[in-house]
Amino acid sequence: MRILPSGTTGLLLEFDSLDEVLGQYAALQQQDLPVLDLVPAGRTILVVGDRGTDLRSLACRLEAVAPVEHLAHAGTPVEIPVQYDGTDLADAADLLGCSCDELVRRHREEEWTVAFCGFAPGFGYLTGARFAWDVPRRSSPRTKVPARSLALAGAFTGVYPRESPGGWQLIGHSLVDVFDLDRDPAALLVPGARVSFVESS
């Protein structure tokens, strides 16, 4: 782990892998630290300190925090009902070298974890623990991907929270909104959460 300054109140923690990020993020959440926010990404965690926090002292405390097994601390899985009817389902299955039924089975049985959020409010990048996922993005991104679209790209799956451009492979759609400002909390998918997709007829 490398610790770099980020502005006047933040520290950026750099890692060599997403697994390291998840383990350290889970550990930091269990600590009583003078921080306002922890923001994980693919290879980093941004630590936003309280106003007046001594960053050198905070950096020393962060260095002393040992990572933990992230899945052991993720709580009860969030269940998202879905239908596997995406227009790219067959293409994604071909890219993975399996049938559509096999892709659906793997996706349903996968142990998904929200690694980090980004792109749009409520968009979680979910990584799996059981199966190998390596699905190239579309060569030509769509200008409009419908809200609730369930998709694959690289090692991740995700649900589009609203209509937006996108280049992920669409394999289905969620039956619930993953981001709703009228709900508390607004986002269903938050970093560190475990997620299971439940097929609905």
Side-chain angles (χ1 to χ4, degrees):
M1 178 176 72
R2 292 167 296 282
I3 302 179
L4 304 171
S6 180
T8 58
T9 60
L11 294 170
L12 188 68
L13 313 185
E14 290 188 338
F15 302 88
D16 293 327
S17 70
L18 179 58
D19 282 340
E20 290 181 22
V21 170
L22 294 174
Q24 196 68 33
Y25 179 73
L28 292 174
Q29 286 184 302
Q30 299 174 24
Q31 304 297 312
D32 183 17
L33 297 167
V35 301
L36 295 176
D37 203 2
L38 299 168
V39 185
R43 296 290 185 273
T44 63
I45 300 173
L46 176 63
V47 179
V48 182
D50 285 333
R51 174 174 281 185
T53 297
D54 181 77
L55 293 183
R56 289 185 180 181
S57 175
L58 178 58
C60 290
R61 293 182 65 179
L62 294 173
E63 286 180 334
V65 177
V68 299
E69 172 55 51
H70 61 273
L71 288 179
H73 300 274
T76 304
V78 176
E79 289 192 354
I80 298 182
V82 298
Q83 291 181 351
Y84 291 95
D85 56 0
T87 55
D88 301 324
L89 180 62
D91 289 342
D94 285 343
L95 290 166
L96 289 170
C98 65
S99 67
C100 291
D101 288 343
E102 176 67 8
L103 187 156
V104 169
R105 182 190 69 79
R106 290 183 194 178
H107 197 269
R108 278 191 292 104
E109 295 179 359
E110 181 61 278
E111 298 171 352
W112 296 105
T113 301
V114 182
F116 54 93
C117 295
F119 172 62
F123 189 93
Y125 289 76
L126 283 67
T127 184
R130 295 187 59 197
F131 300 101
W133 301 94
D134 187 9
V135 181
R137 296 169 189 245
R138 290 173 52 84
S139 57
S140 297
R142 293 181 171 91
T143 56
K144 289 185 179 181
V145 174
R148 297 187 177 184
S149 292
L150 175 65
L152 290 168
F156 300 101
T157 196
V159 178
Y160 283 77
R162 64 185 185 201
E163 182 183 279
S164 63
W168 290 31
Q169 306 284 350
L170 307 184
I171 63 169
H173 72 279
S174 167
L175 301 182
V176 297
D177 291 322
V178 294
F179 187 76
D180 183 352
L181 287 173
D182 294 326
R183 183 179 58 212
D184 186 21
L188 287 182
L189 306 178
V190 296
R194 286 188 297 153
V195 177
S196 62
F197 293 96
V198 180
E199 187 172 14
S200 180
S201 56

